[in-house]
Structures are given as C-alpha cells and as structure tokens.
Amino acid sequence: ASDNQIKKLSLCKGQVAITKDSETRHDIGIPTYIANDFDNTVLGYHCALITPNPEMLDGRYLNAYLNSSLAKEYFANNASGSGMRYSLPVDAIKNILLYLPSIEVQREIGKIFSDIDRKIALNREINRNLEAMARQLYDYWFVQFEFPDENGRPYKSSGGRMAFNESLGINIPLDWDVKRLDDYIESNNTGDWGYDEPSENRIAVGCVRGADIVKLNDIPLRYVKKSNTHKLLNPYDIVIEVSGGSPVQATGRCAYITPGVIERNYGRMTCSNFCHAFRLKNIEASAYFYFLWKSLYDNDIMFNFEGKTSGIKNFMTETFLANKWYFAPKDIQKLFFDRVSNIYSIIDSNVNEINLLVKQRDELLPLLMNGQVSVMHREVNCDLYLLRLSIILTFDHVSCHNNTAQDIRNAPTRRRVFSGRWSKGYGRISGWY
C-alpha cells in the first residue's frame, strides 16, 4: 500500500467500518465500531471506513444507527449486482439519511449500545472458554488417561495399570473395553427439512442444518408432518452433518443437543436431510461419545470416509461406525457426563442471556431513533436487566433515584414524562465525516 492509502485507511478510535461488497445482498453494510487505535493496521479491500466529525457525529451512535433495521433495509435496497457478488456504491453510503439528536444525546445512546455489545461479547468469550475447558477435560481424562482413580488421583501418573491393545496399536488403561462405535448407538435417524408453511397435519420445529451446527441458535423454523415425530431430537442426541463440506472442511461435523439447545429453538427440533441424529443407548455416554467424535473430526480423520455423488461430498457413516475404539467404564463416563452437563448448562444460560440482550437492543434501537425513548440524565440511576442503562421507556414508568429494580416494580406508576429533549435533525453521512 502507498503512504496515502495507509494514511487514509488506518484504523483509529471512533471510526466505523462497514462491508461494501459480499456474496449476498443482506451481508452488505454490516458495521463495526473501532474502539481503539491500531498501529500498522489498515482496512481490507471489501470494507469502507467512515471517520465521523466528532463535533457533529458520535462513532458509537453511528454504529448503533447502522445496525438498525432501517439502515439494513436501505443498504440491501441499494446494493447492486447479482449472482455471485453484490456491492454497495460509495454514494449510497454517503447519502444514507441519519436521525441526528444532539451530540450529547448521541454519546449517551452510543454508550448504551456499546455496553450491551460488550456484555454480549463477554458472554460469547466466556462460552468459548467453557467449551475449551470441556474439551481440555476430555483430553486430560481420555487421551492422557488422567481420569480420577478410586482415590480421586490422576490415574496414569499415579501408577494406574496400562495394557497394549493390539487392535488399536496403543496402550490403554487395563480392563477398558474396545468396541465398534455403533455399539453405543441405539438409533441413527435421518433428517426432515419439512415445509415452509404450517398445516393441520404438521407441527412447528427448529431444524438443524450443517450451517447451524456450530452456533445451535436461531435455527430455521420449519413444519414437519405429525407422522414424522419419531425424527424429533431428544436431549443429548448427537447430530452429524453427512452431506456438504468443502475441499478444506470435511463432512461429519457434530453438534451436542443439550436440553437448553432444544428449549431455545422452539422447544422441538429435528435435523435437515443433510444430517443424521444419533441416539445413544445410554445418555450418560453421550458426552464422552460427542467429544470422541469431535476429537476424531478435529484430527481430520473424517476426510478418509467421504464419497462423492453429483459433486456433493457424503460422509460414509456406516463404514465409519464400524471402526473400533476404546471406551471408558460406565462410572467414568457418568462422572464426565455430569461435569460436562454442568458446563453446558452455564453455556446455554449465557446464550439465553445473549438472545435477550440482542432482542432488547434491537427493540430499543428504533425507539431511541424515532424519539419514543429518551435518554435520562446521568445522575438518575436505574437497573435494567443487570445493566445500568440510563433510559426511560415510553410506556408508564416511575422516576427512580438509586432505586433497585424491585423498588421500581413495586412503586406506583404515572404518566410518561421525558427527561430530556431531542435536538432533532436529519442529514446524510457525507455531511459529518
């Protein structure tokens, strides 16, 4: 890059970057706020960088505004192209119409949404760490064989007896079983993508596709025949992707269906036609089986069990399940299941909180933008779902000075009175950067 390009596209605190071209129309105009200065870092080719005039436009407010449904609809409608690539003209970015309160109000609104986004990011980071902990526990117990012995000490390093298994070619703890993988599976159900619309003989379900296996959240709502309810997922089923993948991504990715996953996805779930669902004979073996499968996948074993028809890769499920592996005794599997279930219970709780925060953020944003919600003065302090957000909603409310959320719920209500006034104005981005 030239010196001029580096100067023009260096990332600095207060800027907002957005995507200006992507594979789909709805991936256009996705914003992010640059919260810190970055040394020797420039923006990539497929993004646009907006530098607000700090006296007129707050970067965090702009980021919040560009996340609104109004802005998303504007960008989608102004994206050009078809087929493989869509792009957003620079003039379309410059000419988006903004609702512009005073700079002080902008900063307050920007802080509200910045706080919410930080809490969402924190929950996601906590969940990544929890998942890493569960994986590390599996490795420690079932790869290094340091599961707790009868005295609660690490088995192998405390002198636990090992024996060489000829069929696997490795040392494993004495008296551990070696079985075919399918010995642990009670049923292997195919998926059902169902229908777009409801009818009298259909029920609503969340449907897991290969694209949903990682996040297991906000999955598509589908309608399947009542005669296919035997394909509904049970808690602790394991879903695998059997068709799809890519040259660098094998088929066979897996998902662990906890009770929390089902609860947050319409209360009933199935998997799509490109997936299968394993139901184990003993659910207390499910955590061990899931992490065993995930470990094999992460070590690229599944690439060796793929066929191809009509250009689509297919996982050779039955062939793979005929392989043998070692399995821990039932009491160790149960102990591992209990530990992992506790971890995933926290993960699911954090996902639920993220979903609630996202819902509150998305519902609050248009209300702030059109003046139905007003920013309160800083000296007024209210609890709003664990976050201290200085806002008043448009419906009946109470004034509160250092009150708790319980005090607010118990207090008598009265008619709404805004605590401040909008300095209303409209304009375009091109006038403020």
Side-chain angles (χ1 to χ4, degrees), residues 164-183:
F164 182 77
N165 184 274
E166 293 186 0
S167 62
L168 299 179
I170 58 174
N171 288 316
I172 63 174
L174 189 67
D175 299 329
W176 276 31
D177 291 331
V178 173
K179 299 180 180 181
R180 285 171 48 130
L181 295 175
D182 56 12
D183 285 343

Side-chain angles (χ1 to χ4, degrees), residues 182 251 263 293 311 319 360:
D182 56 12
T251 53
E263 180 182 354
W293 191 283
T319 302
Q360 289 179 339

